Amino acid sequence: MTPLTRLLISSQFAFNVGFFAVLPYLADHLGGALGLGGALGLGGALVGLVLGLRTFSQQGLFVVGGALTDRYGPRPVVLAGCALRVIGFLCLAVASNPWTVTGAVVLVGFAAALFSPAVESEIAREALRAERSGGPRRTRTLARFSAGGQAGALLGPVLGALLLYGTGDAHFRTACLAGAGVFALVLAAHARLMPGGGGQERRPGEWRTVLADRRFLRLALAYSTYLLAYNQLYLALPAELARATGSQAALGWLFALSSALAVFGSTSLERLAATRLDSPSMLRTGLLLTATAFAATAALRPYEGMAAAVTFTTLLTLGQMLVLPATRSLLPDLVDERHLGLATGALSSIAGLAVLATSAPTGALLTLPGPTPWLLLTAAPLLGLALVPAAPTEDQPEHPSDGRTEARTDGPTAPATDRPGRPSRGAPGRDAA
């Protein structure tokens, strides 16, 4: 791995450690025992509103962070995201009324809307550069990046639980300060090690060029069906656990299982898939595994115990381990590299809005008896299978460029394929270990 790749993977890990050390416990802190004398005493509706604002300021504004990355380059956007996250967590540590809490939470969300698209688009560029120079397939680098993020998501709640051991605002304040410290370290690392440059002069019609491209929109919609399905870890899985066992006590263990599978299995599964599949086929296989998770759960529900819940978690995570690197690896083929930040942000924003729009209907669907909800939810990833765009062929431009086909000058010409046994696009040679 290049030094920049190591920096990006490490910072994704650290960013998730700091985030998940605090955010899983935010609702309980905000509620203050929901009227039983908590420090803030926020009502349930206001708690939901604050958490919803955090989600919107993060997922909904990814497209803004992506556009800023294209305009100014990833370095200043990453540094701004880290600085805002530090400020947000410091404010959250001392917040004493609903308005300061809301402001702090919005800062925390918007910080990720800056940081994540910048880092994700830069790791995609770095993976593409490594592949073109004869290094590992881009999906392998991106699988390592996903595993780093999942490792942070696995360790963060454990760290938060240790910091929050006991009761009282002081413990939550300690967790916030620890999170701010982690983000300060990420800020310092990027300020010292991340190269500058990469910004582009703003051109008219950039947004239209990306958002009107049919292949990109098909990928975004396919990814949306995956994200809708993956969101059922937080909606349908708790309901299934309560039905099967009478409580949701095992939910944390299932989340830990999901993160552990992703941490230790992402690169191995990607390597296995890469011997037979190109990126579109890898994405379709991931969506098929996701659909199988719902179908298998429907089949196992008549049996007692946690078999259905464990099977659902495992298959859904296996699907995620293929969908994420495959989706990120396809983006550079579908959009001009100058617009990669905007496309990365737009992909997440479109998928986030799709999940938001379908959350209420999905919640209502889960009230239906028997396996019906699970069978109906199988349709989402199956629809995604039909939406996955094909990789560009030799006589098709890899990405649109303001309506014209431009000659590529950043690497030797090669057959347009990711299939094993033949050169990768723009990169003759074999994968590096």
Side-chain angles (χ1 to χ4, degrees):
M1 286 191 293
T2 66
L4 180 56
T5 299
R6 285 194 291 269
L7 172 65
L8 295 172
I9 293 175
S10 300
S11 61
Q12 177 74 355
F13 165 76
F15 207 77
N16 277 0
V17 168
F19 179 82
F20 285 100
V22 176
L23 264 293
Y25 310 101
L26 179 59
D28 183 63
H29 173 69
L30 294 178
L34 292 179
L36 297 180
L40 298 179
L42 297 181
L46 188 53
V47 170
L49 175 61
V50 170
L51 295 179
L53 284 172
R54 186 207 65 81
T55 301
F56 172 77
S57 63
Q58 177 173 326
Q59 195 80 25
L61 297 181
F62 263 45
V63 65
V64 176
L68 291 173
T69 299
D70 288 341
R71 177 66 180 86
Y72 298 104
R75 188 176 189 273
V77 180
V78 166
L79 296 181
C82 291
L84 284 180
R85 183 58 71 85
V86 171
I87 295 171
F89 270 62
L90 290 176
C91 291
L92 195 58
V94 299
S96 59
N97 61 72
W99 305 113
T100 54
V101 169
T102 302
V105 166
V106 169
L107 274 180
V108 166
F110 186 58
L114 295 178
F115 178 89
S116 294
V119 170
E120 289 175 15
S121 59
E122 189 63 13
I123 192 68
R125 288 190 182 94
E126 192 66 9
L128 189 59
R129 284 192 287 264
E131 183 184 75
R132 287 172 175 168
S133 63
R137 284 172 56 106
R138 69 185 81 168
T139 51
R140 185 166 304 172
T141 301
L142 295 168
R144 289 169 177 164
F145 179 78
S146 297
Q150 287 291 339
L154 178 63
L155 181 60
V158 177
L159 175 62
L162 293 175
L163 293 172
L164 288 164
Y165 183 75
T167 58
D169 287 344
H171 296 276
F172 185 79
R173 187 175 299 115
T174 300
C176 289
L177 293 175
V182 170
F183 299 125
L185 290 175
V186 176
L187 173 63
H190 278 276
R192 179 176 176 81
L193 301 173
M194 192 172 194
Q200 303 286 340
E201 181 182 353
R202 190 177 183 277
R203 303 186 180 196
E206 288 179 340
W207 289 64
R208 185 172 61 253
T209 299
V210 173
L211 299 179
D213 182 74
R214 292 183 179 180
R215 291 180 299 165
F216 169 73
L217 289 178
R218 288 185 62 175
L219 179 64
L221 292 175
Y223 181 71
S224 297
T225 65
Y226 150 76
L227 195 61
L228 169 63
Y230 191 77
N231 197 53
Q232 301 317 307
L233 272 180
Y234 310 101
L235 189 60
L237 180 61
E240 171 59 23
L241 268 181
R243 181 203 67 83
T245 66
S247 77
Q248 298 180 10
L251 192 60
W253 291 105
L254 290 176
F255 286 164
L257 169 65
S258 176
S259 295
L261 284 173
V263 170
F264 298 109
S266 287
T267 53
S268 298
L269 183 61
E270 184 281 332
R271 185 179 293 111
L272 177 64
T275 61
R276 299 180 179 273
L277 305 173
D278 59 11
S279 293
S281 299
M282 189 182 296
L283 177 53
R284 293 188 186 98
T285 303
L287 288 169
L288 186 59
L289 280 170
T290 303
T292 304
F294 290 96
T297 303
L300 291 172
R301 286 181 92 249
Y303 299 96
E304 296 182 0
M306 292 179 53
V310 171
T311 300
F312 175 72
T313 303
T314 301
L315 290 175
L316 196 67
T317 304
L318 291 175
Q320 177 206 36
M321 290 155 60
L322 294 178
V323 168
L324 290 183
T327 301
R328 289 172 176 149
S329 72
L330 271 172
L331 271 181
D333 293 338
L334 302 182
V335 301
D336 192 304
E337 195 166 330
R338 295 171 300 176
H339 304 146
L340 190 54
L342 173 60
T344 301
L347 183 79
S348 294
S349 290
I350 290 171
L353 289 173
V355 170
L356 180 63
T358 55
S359 291
T362 302
L365 186 67
L366 292 174
T367 63
L368 297 177
T372 302
W374 296 90
L375 293 174
L376 292 176
L377 286 169
T378 305
L382 291 179
L383 175 62
L385 284 173
L387 292 169
V388 175
T393 59
E394 292 182 27
D395 22 338
Q396 181 184 20
E398 287 191 0
H399 49 67
S401 183
D402 300 328
R404 301 183 303 275
T405 302
E406 296 180 354
R408 297 183 62 86
T409 59
D410 52 0
T413 303
T417 179
D418 284 338
R419 292 191 180 279
R422 297 175 62 187
S424 296
R425 194 173 295 107
R430 298 169 56 191
D431 289 349

